Amino acid sequence: MERTDVELMASIEALSADAIAAISTEQLALCDELLFQRQHLIEQLVALTNPAQCPRTHAFLSQIMADDQTQITQLNAFKSDIESQQVTTKRRSKSINRYLAIKQF
């Protein structure tokens, strides 16, 4: 049985929410699988209803793209924060090692 556009959109939204939850709990393998499933459903939706001719589908897909861009921006900021923390940790580690080397003599 073929799914309707409304059912596909609901499933896509649910997978998107699950993927966001997987990211927040750092379950990246699960996130990959969820996003793969979501991509498959998006392809089905596009095949079922031509977004260029169906305003509802076009609006839905545009919103997904905007939401995804927001998530990408947040993840890039998170990644930068982690990289910055790693640099700070390395500096502290070097300082501690220098201090220990001085104290040993």
Side-chain angles (χ1 to χ4, degrees), residues 13 36 50-51 54 56 61 79 85 92:
E13 286 179 339
F36 179 76
N50 183 351
C54 183
R56 180 175 61 186
L61 293 174
K79 178 182 171 187
Q85 288 173 1
R92 287 181 182 160

Side-chain angles (χ1 to χ4, degrees), residues 34-46:
L34 293 168
L35 292 177
F36 179 76
Q37 291 174 20
R38 185 183 84 151
Q39 179 62 36
H40 181 69
L41 294 180
I42 289 171
E43 290 169 2
Q44 288 180 18
L45 179 63
V46 170

Side-chain angles (χ1 to χ4, degrees), residues 3-14 45 48-49 54 56-57 60:
R3 297 169 76 175
T4 67
D5 61 336
V6 174
E7 292 171 330
L8 286 170
M9 287 184 210
S11 295
I12 291 167
E13 286 179 339
L45 179 63
L48 180 65
T49 59
C54 183
R56 180 175 61 186
T57 302
F60 177 77

Side-chain angles (χ1 to χ4, degrees), residues 38 58-70 72:
R38 185 183 84 151
H58 184 271
F60 177 77
L61 293 174
S62 295
Q63 184 61 47
I64 284 179
M65 289 170 42
D67 292 347
D68 285 355
Q69 188 57 49
T70 300
I72 289 168

Side-chain angles (χ1 to χ4, degrees), residues 82-94:
I82 289 172
E83 289 171 347
S84 176
Q85 288 173 1
Q86 288 174 338
V87 168
T88 301
T89 302
K90 286 180 183 177
R91 286 182 186 152
R92 287 181 182 160
S93 177
K94 287 181 181 178

